[in-house]
Amino acid sequence: MTTSSFDDQYEQVRDLVRSFCKKKVRPGAAERDRSEDFPAEVLEEMGQLGLFGIFVPEELGGAGMDLATYLMIVEEVACADASIAVTISVTNSVCCWPILHFGSEEQKERYLRPLASGQVLGGFMLTEPEAGSDAASLKTRYRDAGDAYVLDGNKAWITNAGVAKTFVCMATKDPSLGAHGISAFILDADREGVIVNRPEQKMGLRSSRTAMVALDGVRVPKSALLGKEGQGFSIALATLDHSRLGIAAQALGIARAAMEEALRYARDRRQFGRPLFDHEAIAFRLAEMDTDIAAARALLNEAAQAASRPGRHSRESARAKLFASEMCNRVVASAIQIHGGYGYSKEYAIERLYRDARVTTVYEGTSEVQKIVISRTLKELAQSL
Ligand code: COS
């Protein structure tokens, strides 16, 4: 494909997703935030548009699009409803992506087709009650039972739990082996012993589902092993290097929505005889927000380019996720400030955006974890000087 036909395709997809979001996603976002209703119907339509198998090749039923297009889609959807964006990004990034990159041909054929069609949602089970940032200390065990593996343990903060059918799940053969004892499995949620707790009551992203999942003697066939035995932690971290870009894109989308709300308010609200926009304190704050958003976009583009080349891109992904998520929280806080007292009211969309933004510096690796990842690469760099 030539560059211009590629650009044309990118713009066509963006226009399609933007117009879908305007008609079908944004209008119900505030109500879903209140009711915590899971948007099954909207997601079904998004599945028909191919938004759940964005990188899955066309021959496996996916949309066969590239990373830049994926990030643009997540940003557009997050700008309309961040809860829906996370449901999409989790299915694409932490479920389809590792199956596509580490799965056997049989696993790809069996799992990617239904995921890409949108009939089946996906998820990722790494975090546990006692293993958050220190993911390698996970305790969910697997044992070899001859013709099957048997999984036992508890997984926490599992996005799409209760609504997804396919999970990539990390478990250890023996916690004393550390990272090297961990293997990855493809887990069907309807297997006996998979027990989904009641959904978490969250501050934001309230119409996305998150729950704790207990694995009680869950038997999975030997063919459920993803990659090689002992490769699970590496698969998890490579997946996170990739998926953190989706969270950066989600943060950009939320920040863009906050910027739009702030601009509208600054245009329409008058104080001291003129629109807020004509007060330098407000105009300069808007200028800083605009610059912050543009800087996050530039870092995300750089990280997406690095991710499209062979080799690890941990530092670039961590930088993009760190900056975009912190930026998003700064921008929504500024937008609240511009709204004054009205920003504190549920009557205004900015109140939801403020809550939705908060988790972006926490999930898929806290800002502190991103700094660990970046500073480790800097240490290697320092040693090579
Ligand atoms: N890609 C592939 N493999 C990687 C990797 C990457 N980006 N980073 C590390 N690995 C491999 C390492 O090569 C190492 O294997 P070797 O010993 O054979 O070299 C192994 O994985 C362990 O790596 P490391 O020693 O760096 O692991 P740590 O326990 O120190 O990891 C961090 C530390 C903080 C980076 C990791 O635990 C992490 O990212 N935590 C956050 C988890 C997270 O984001 N959770 C959210 C889940 S989704 S809501």
Side-chain angles (χ1 to χ4, degrees):
M1 198 187 287
T2 62
T3 314
S4 70
S5 64
F6 192 83
D7 290 347
D8 289 349
Q9 191 198 40
Y10 179 93
E11 295 207 347
Q12 273 168 18
V13 175
R14 190 187 57 203
D15 292 348
L16 177 84
V17 173
R18 199 171 272 181
S19 122
F20 179 85
C21 287
K22 194 172 168 199
K23 277 194 229 126
K24 303 276 176 91
V25 178
R26 196 183 283 253
E31 181 47 36
R32 288 190 296 269
D33 173 62
R34 266 188 285 276
S35 65
E36 296 186 298
D37 281 347
F38 186 72
E41 278 173 28
V42 181
L43 291 169
E44 197 182 318
E45 283 191 60
M46 294 177 113
Q48 284 156 12
L49 293 179
L51 302 188
F52 288 98
I54 299 173
F55 332 101
V56 175
E58 284 171 281
E59 58 271 24
L60 285 170
M65 292 188 264
D66 69 341
L67 181 58
T69 309
Y70 164 70
L71 296 173
M72 172 273 286
I73 291 170
V74 173
E75 179 187 331
E76 287 300 326
V77 177
C79 191
D81 184 347
S83 291
I84 293 189
V86 74
T87 306
I88 290 180
S89 105
V90 162
T91 300
N92 279 285
S93 262
V94 288
C95 189
C96 289
W97 191 88
I99 296 175
L100 189 60
H101 284 80
F102 300 99
S104 63
E105 290 312 311
E106 195 194 330
Q107 287 171 330
K108 289 183 203 173
E109 186 60 45
R110 174 159 177 208
Y111 288 102
L112 292 178
R113 217 171 265 290
L115 282 162
S117 72
Q119 284 158 1
V120 163
L121 293 178
F124 185 66
M125 295 185 180
L126 174 67
T127 304
E128 299 185 359
E130 304 298 327
S133 291
D134 183 9
S137 69
L138 63 84
K139 303 248 169 347
T140 293
R141 301 284 284 250
Y142 73 90
R143 65 184 167 80
D144 192 332
D147 60 340
Y149 293 108
V150 179
L151 275 61
D152 279 285
N154 290 299
K155 294 291 179 181
W157 295 107
I158 304 305
T159 303
N160 290 348
V163 289
K165 288 224 170 76
T166 302
F167 287 89
V168 170
C169 175
M170 265 48 75
T172 179
K173 192 175 187 172
D174 176 354
S176 70
L177 297 173
H180 297 284
I182 298 172
S183 297
F185 300 89
I186 307 179
L187 176 63
D188 299 305
D190 53 7
R191 288 203 180 273
E192 207 179 327
V194 177
I195 304 154
V196 179
N197 278 19
R198 63 170 182 75
E200 301 287 351
Q201 305 271 290
K202 306 193 299 287
M203 173 198 281
L205 303 184
R206 284 163 53 81
S207 67
S208 72
R209 283 288 165 86
T210 313
M212 181 121 135
V213 180
L215 304 175
D216 183 12
V218 180
R219 287 179 80 84
V220 298
K222 285 281 170 83
S223 60
L225 180 70
L226 182 64
K228 297 195 198 87
E229 233 187 312
Q231 200 193 351
F233 195 62
S234 205
I235 291 177
L237 291 191
T239 300
L240 287 167
D241 279 348
H242 180 266
S243 68
R244 285 170 181 158
L245 300 177
I247 302 305
Q250 183 199 28
L252 255 180
I254 299 171
R256 226 179 77 200
M259 183 75 191
E260 284 172 19
E261 294 301 327
L263 285 174
R264 232 177 260 126
Y265 194 83
R267 179 194 67 196
D268 297 341
R269 170 83 168 165
R270 295 176 72 86
Q271 288 291 280
F272 302 102
R274 53 203 160 116
L276 291 189
F277 217 119
D278 294 337
H279 293 278
E280 193 176 75
I282 303 294
F284 279 15
R285 197 184 267 268
L286 288 164
E288 281 166 11
M289 291 159 70
D290 181 54
T291 308
D292 233 359
I293 292 173
R297 187 181 303 290
L299 270 182
L300 182 57
N301 288 343
E302 186 199 64
Q305 280 171 19
S308 307
R309 294 191 289 268
R312 275 196 202 167
H313 52 94
S314 312
R315 181 179 170 200
E316 290 86 350
S317 289
R319 284 199 299 223
K321 201 267 182 186
L322 170 64
F323 190 85
S325 60
E326 295 287 344
M327 170 288 291
C328 176
N329 279 274
R330 281 194 296 276
V331 165
V332 291
S334 280
I336 292 262
Q337 195 66 20
I338 290 170
H339 280 71
Y342 290 107
Y344 204 58
S345 161
K346 286 191 182 292
E347 290 287 305
Y348 283 76
I350 194 61
E351 184 270 344
R352 169 172 50 87
L353 296 174
Y354 187 75
R355 288 182 286 103
D356 285 349
R358 189 62 191 86
V359 77
T360 61
T361 63
V362 174
Y363 67 5
E364 299 207 11
T366 60
S367 288
E368 292 70 21
V369 162
Q370 310 313 319
K371 289 178 196 174
I372 293 176
V373 173
I374 298 164
S375 59
R376 281 184 181 177
T377 65
L378 292 179
K379 199 167 175 192
E380 283 166 27
L381 187 69
Q383 270 146 10
S384 71
L385 291 175

